[in-house]
Amino acid sequence: MDYEVVELAPVSGDLESHGISLNESGQSVGISIDLNGQPQAVRWDSTGSATPLITVGRPYSKALSINGAGSVVGAYTDSSNQIHACLWNASGNLSDLDSLIGVSPSEALSINDRGDIGGFYFQNGIAQGFVLTGGTTLELFSLTGAYSSRIYGLNQHGAVTGSGLSANDESGFIQSGFQSNSLPNLTGGQFGKALAVNNLGHSAGFSGQGEGEEVACCWVDGQVFLLGHLGGGQSHALGINNFGQVVGYSTTNPSDTIEIIFQTQTNEFDVPFDGEPAEEDQSNTILRDYDITRAFLWDGQTLLNLNDLIDTESGWVLLRAEDINDQGWITGYGIKDGDVRGFLLKPLNSPAELVQVSLPALDKTVPQETPIELQVNTNHDADEVRLYFNNQFQSSVSGNVISFNPGVLNFGAYTVKVETLDEQSNLIASRELTFTIRDLFLNEWKMRELASLSASEQSDIADPDLDGLNNITEFAFNLDPNDPDRPSSIPLSILFDNGDPCLSFKRRKAFSSQGLVYRIQESANLSPWDDADAQVTFENQVSDGDADPMETVLYRYTGSGDRRFFSIEPNSSN
């Protein structure tokens, strides 16, 4: 036995439940279905306790993806019975995404830890894939020659995966940045769908193979790899983690058919699962034939029937595995003692321990000049451990621990990838970690630059080096607070544009987290000083995106001719 099975119970009074997505904390989301076949969105904790995500009334709703922060996306019906893509935050508050998408019906299928949301909407009966970034920016996705598309997966770097439908075939695709690539189908296949993507850009889904066959596959660096099936000829891959483990479902031997009678009939909008109702009999019952599907795990080498990896006396038949996280936890649904139930599988030996990457800070965002020491621990036998930094090979060892000191890093995001290999150089496990070097916050700057001074000398308005510039000004213009600079040491220049004087200088960006507020003041004779009015135009020119903590700013003066003296006053909003 390799897995413990946790039941994801339906909401009280409901008939069945389906687990669809999970995060690294072990929270799962999916649906709970009542006696009338109406699904409702549900979130489960790692013990299997269910919480409905819609607490007033019971409209049609589905929860289809959850990120690390506990935000959930899916779909629900409004008061007019229109299906809208929606977002629930970690507290369960619902946001209708219809106003951002602009067209309904719509459905949100995936959310990453950055809060990007992917899905599709219908317009004139045709599905169109979309991605929402930054909470407001809507981008549409398609393939060249395709008239219809859907976005199924997003990774933490913003790469999206989905499918595009043309007049001749359907193909999966992956887009990263501005590069979009069609994913090849298996030999002889005329269709395919990429349903999930990991942080390495590897996708999982299925492809046609021959006449009428749909077989699970993965795409790695644009090449398609067949995963196979469990004996019944057909399979779909639905989830992939950063170790390259894949889950899904497959047909098996016809003798394994299971049939269950329900007193319900579902009416789903593009259901992400296959429990299709059969014909209705006179007693108003539905015979749902679960056929011969079984949940599978691809461990990197072999397609395994998950039913062979649980206690044979558990009473479970695992039908479909929907998602897998980096701990190796798996969610899906099956049959427990005759009832359809969602499940959460917890491995008794978690793959999360296979590769661990440590940083010197508790989070993955560290301030500038922080000593970075990366240490990798592998708790499994490997012939070789390789470390890559920003996709560049750095070193390899034959032991279980590898350390790397990249030195002083500039501002920006960095990626560490670790691979473990066996003696034949086959990949055992892979782990990727992204961290960010950010600017110092004001209090951090004070601790670094003014730590030896008294509390009063560390205040924003203090001037401990007696150069005429207080601490907040030294911080704002990236000066040395321990060196007696002159006020003119602030790097200023005067430019003229069409005869208008412009004041140009570099200042620290006024991130909200920095607590900085800048005021431009003007004067005719150095006294008095007045806050500049609307006649002064502020034009921020960011020099290097978020990788540079400083920005070049141009102040263009277009007011009366007697104001020719300017002052920039930074203040702390704290």
Side-chain angles (χ1 to χ4, degrees), residues 4-12 14-23 26-33 40 42-51 63 66 316 318 320-323 329-336 339-346:
E4 169 195 1
V5 187
V6 177
E7 179 180 337
L8 303 180
V11 173
S12 178
D14 280 1
L15 183 67
E16 62 180 274
S17 56
H18 297 237
I20 296 174
S21 175
L22 79 162
N23 61 17
Q27 293 176 302
S28 302
V29 295
I31 59 173
S32 177
I33 302 176
Q40 66 169 315
V42 178
R43 174 164 44 201
W44 292 274
D45 63 22
S46 60
T47 68
S49 178
T51 301
I66 182 170
W316 279 94
L318 307 180
R320 183 162 172 145
E322 294 274 354
D323 198 10
W329 295 18
I330 301 169
T331 192
Y333 68 86
I335 298 172
K336 172 67 176 352
D339 296 318
V340 177
R341 293 289 184 266
F343 64 75
L344 177 64
L345 299 184
K346 297 181 179 181

Side-chain angles (χ1 to χ4, degrees), residues 488 490-506 520-521 552-557 563-568:
S488 60
I490 298 177
L492 305 175
S493 61
I494 301 295
L495 305 176
F496 287 88
D497 184 13
N498 294 324
D500 294 330
C502 303
L503 182 65
S504 179
F505 60 91
K506 294 193 73 171
I520 181 73
Q521 293 190 310
T552 300
V553 182
L554 185 67
Y555 288 131
R556 184 187 310 277
Y557 182 74
R563 299 297 180 95
R564 284 294 182 268
F565 298 100
F566 299 94
S567 173
I568 302 97

Side-chain angles (χ1 to χ4, degrees), residues 63-104:
L64 301 178
S65 181
I66 182 170
N67 68 9
S71 296
V72 179
V73 294
Y76 84 111
T77 53
D78 64 9
S79 58
S80 301
N81 209 34
Q82 285 289 317
I83 299 176
H84 294 179
C86 61
L87 166 70
W88 290 272
N89 65 15
S91 300
N93 298 319
L94 173 66
S95 298
D96 190 326
L97 300 177
D98 186 60
S99 61
L100 300 176
I101 299 169
V103 181
S104 58

Side-chain angles (χ1 to χ4, degrees), residues 7-8 65 77 82 95 192 201 220 229 277 332 342 382 391 396 433 511 535:
E7 179 180 337
L8 303 180
S65 181
T77 53
Q82 285 289 317
S95 298
V220 178
H229 54 80
N391 295 320
S396 66
L433 173 73
F511 296 123
Q535 293 176 322

